Amino acid sequence: MQIPYQPFYMQYPMYDIFDDYSNQMKDYEYLRQFYPKDIGKIQDLVEEECDKLEYDGSVMYDEYPDRIGMLSICSNIKGMMPKHEEKSWLEKVIEVLLYQEFRRRRERRRRYR
């Protein structure tokens, strides 16, 4: 009995990996719309700063990023905020959003390398 021809790409059915990530991103973007307005602005600044750090050898992709470097990035983001936005919780929110964004991008990079 002869085995029917099967294209090479069908022999290794990992083609749905990209769809899975696409669905995760759609979900992320949809839920991000529900962020409070202030937090959404901070998230935009965090993503902008992370875009600048998305290159080989970046602190973002270090196996163990150091805390001082992370706090420096947080400080840069806080410096981009309007002066009237300075609140006691602002630094903590920036820090959490930055760490979450690092985690998301590191996971994406690991998945597609």
Side-chain angles (χ1 to χ4, degrees):
M1 180 158 160
Q2 187 177 15
I3 299 174
Y5 172 75
Q6 189 174 28
F8 177 76
Y9 66 90
M10 293 297 289
Q11 294 175 10
Y12 301 98
M14 294 188 61
Y15 53 87
D16 65 336
I17 289 175
F18 298 106
D19 290 339
D20 184 45
Y21 181 73
S22 176
N23 288 337
Q24 287 178 6
M25 285 306 298
K26 286 178 187 174
D27 195 36
Y28 168 76
E29 291 298 327
Y30 175 73
L31 291 173
R32 193 174 176 284
Q33 295 176 39
F34 300 131
Y35 283 18
K37 188 176 179 180
D38 294 342
I39 304 300
K41 289 178 185 177
I42 297 170
Q43 181 67 34
D44 290 340
L45 292 173
V46 166
E47 288 180 7
E48 183 181 315
E49 193 68 17
C50 286
D51 287 343
K52 295 175 189 174
L53 294 170
E54 203 157 2
Y55 58 87
D56 286 335
S58 167
V59 67
M60 182 185 303
Y61 300 119
D62 287 349
E63 187 171 353
Y64 300 104
D66 71 298
R67 181 135 174 91
I68 304 299
M70 300 293 278
L71 292 175
S72 173
I73 296 167
C74 290
S75 178
N76 291 344
I77 294 168
K78 185 179 179 199
M80 292 189 283
M81 297 292 296
K83 294 298 178 197
H84 68 278
E85 291 288 333
E86 290 188 28
K87 296 173 184 164
S88 61
W89 52 265
L90 185 60
E91 288 179 23
K92 291 177 177 72
V93 170
I94 290 171
E95 200 171 338
V96 169
L97 290 174
L98 178 69
Y99 299 157
Q100 182 64 23
E101 187 66 19
F102 265 44
R103 186 211 51 82
R104 188 175 69 82
R105 290 175 187 232
R106 288 164 60 106
E107 181 180 321
R108 180 184 65 200
R109 183 180 176 106
R110 276 189 221 111
R111 179 173 289 144
Y112 296 112
R113 276 203 143 200

